[in-house]
Amino acid sequence: MNSIKNSPFFYKIITSLLYGSITRKYAIRYIENKIAKNFGSSNNQKASSKKNKRLQYEKKIMALSIIKTLDRSIERNNLDRNIAQEVLKLWANALTGDRLKNKEVKKFYIKNKSMPPFMLVISPGHGCNLRCRGCYASSKSNGQKLPWNVLDRLISDAKKLWDIKLIVFSGGEPFYYNSEDKGILDIAKKYKDCLFLAFSNGTLLNKRLSQEIAECKNITPAFSVEGLEEETNRIRGEGVFEKVLGSMELMKKAGIPFGISVTVNSDNYNKVLKDKFLDFFFHQMGVFYAFYFQYLPIGRALDFKYMPSSMQRVDFWSKIWRQIENKGLFLIDFWNHGPLVGGCISAGREGGYLYIDWNGKVMPCVFMPYSIGNIYRMYKEGKTLNHLWEHPFLAKIRNWQKNYGFGKEANFGNNLLRPCPYRDHHLEFLKWIKELKTEPEDESASKILSDCFYHKKMISYGKKLANLFDPVWEEKYLK
């Protein structure tokens, strides 16, 4: 079967079935039936009884939402056929490929009894043309950046040592990055066997760039919005929303799959899952997916009043699953969907990722701004990414993840609705950064270390969340 999947004709046939007006209906129905069977259904109680029923339900409706979104995108002519064929092949390789065939990955596994991380998140540049309120990265127009040769080497090493197939570009603004007259699309063109996701403010794209993205076939932009026009412009600046919609139209016209990235705050949390919001972006603008990141007080002008309360977070969990199921939309909640991925995915965990910023600092997560090393120093000392992966701070987090529930059936682990060491278990995280050698990423992270009020607020949030989410975990996942 693997030899068939490795053949370009296999994906050409699948794509032909999906793009045939008659065959697509039967292909989609077949895939939906397979999903229902694999993740348990009323007709397959024996198979599903040995697995956590709630978790199987979540995996099923999430998988179905992806298929329904694919069906809509093809039907509305929003997804180019050649791009779809390439993306299908790359995702199949990333999700089903045998990474142990890679000699370096095999050596890593034998030594560590664990697979290396699944992806890298890189902020190649701190520069950005906007100054958004609450920016986690405190980006600015003249920010630092990784030189092209360092960025290129980093990705090359990650592929060689860890067989990385997915690279996420954050920022700063990824499309603002330029080094030696090269940008992130030059990386996507060079590494054609990788998938790339770029979180973008959506104001710098034009027809030429949209054509380049279409030619790459392996990169998808996720445009940041905070709601509709009023909410987005309030945080990002006057006229930004209109520019974002212009970029979306370019993507749609070129047949490029694209998404949105929403920072959920205490003001907009009850708006960004409304039918009006979702129908506008998914049905009118042609969005393929949506990431939801709940505001965390780090970065520029951090303010606890914008952080969703524990009650709002629980309410958001309930509403997002309702919309995924009822509307068949591909919606991802970075924190509340912990059970789907076995909890926290930071610190280079198997199936997870590491984060590297514009200064070459290596951190467990975009939302844990404390560094364990620097790739410049790593290269100077003749070391590799494997040496950084072994750092005690990252090892401590991975050990906590394992003890907390990663790799276990949902029935036997702790509450994966509260998976984040920084947000949900802040007292524990605070002990780690005091005991182990870490360096604050920036001035904001440095000030946080000695801010007793900040830590009290975070710890209080975690306790309130436990009181609200633990009964949900018991009721929905353990019974």
Side-chain angles (χ1 to χ4, degrees), residues 230-377:
E230 181 182 350
E231 293 85 6
T232 299
N233 286 348
R234 186 187 306 131
I235 291 175
R236 298 187 166 268
E238 196 63 34
V240 168
F241 188 75
E242 186 178 352
K243 290 181 180 179
V244 172
L245 297 190
S247 293
M248 290 182 177
E249 291 291 352
L250 288 171
M251 297 298 103
K252 187 164 58 172
K253 188 174 181 180
I256 301 163
F258 66 94
I260 55 174
S261 173
V262 184
T263 300
V264 182
N265 58 54
S266 56
D267 292 333
N268 71 2
Y269 97 99
N270 206 28
K271 299 177 182 179
V272 292
L273 285 177
K274 293 280 190 182
D275 288 347
K276 181 181 179 181
F277 175 86
L278 295 172
D279 290 346
F280 175 77
F281 281 111
F282 278 87
H283 297 302
Q284 186 172 330
M285 299 309 300
V287 161
F288 198 92
Y289 57 86
F291 282 99
Y292 289 91
F293 298 94
Q294 296 186 32
Y295 173 77
L296 185 67
I298 59 174
R300 177 181 298 135
L302 61 89
D303 195 330
F304 273 95
K305 76 178 181 181
Y306 296 120
M307 181 176 172
S309 69
S310 52
M311 181 71 77
Q312 289 173 334
R313 176 166 162 186
V314 174
D315 185 42
F316 201 83
W317 170 83
S318 176
K319 287 178 178 176
I320 196 169
W321 278 118
R322 193 179 309 134
Q323 292 291 48
I324 292 169
E325 182 170 30
N326 292 344
K327 300 179 78 69
L329 303 179
F330 187 18
L331 312 176
I332 308 109
D333 186 326
F334 186 77
W335 276 277
N336 280 344
H337 284 166
L340 278 177
V341 292
C344 172
I345 60 171
S346 73
R349 189 203 85 176
E350 181 175 336
Y353 78 100
L354 274 181
Y355 172 55
I356 295 127
D357 80 353
W358 45 85
N359 286 314
K361 293 182 178 180
V362 181
M363 285 158 279
C365 175
V366 174
F367 302 105
M368 296 181 193
Y370 297 95
S371 170
I372 55 91
N374 191 290
I375 58 171
Y376 293 112
R377 192 181 310 127

Side-chain angles (χ1 to χ4, degrees), residues 71-83:
D71 188 22
R72 284 194 304 269
S73 297
I74 295 173
E75 182 180 1
R76 296 171 183 176
N77 202 30
N78 292 340
L79 184 59
D80 177 82
R81 179 172 180 154
N82 293 325
I83 294 176

Side-chain angles (χ1 to χ4, degrees), residues 86 109 311 346 425 459:
E86 186 65 18
Y109 180 78
M311 181 71 77
S346 73
H425 306 270
I459 292 167

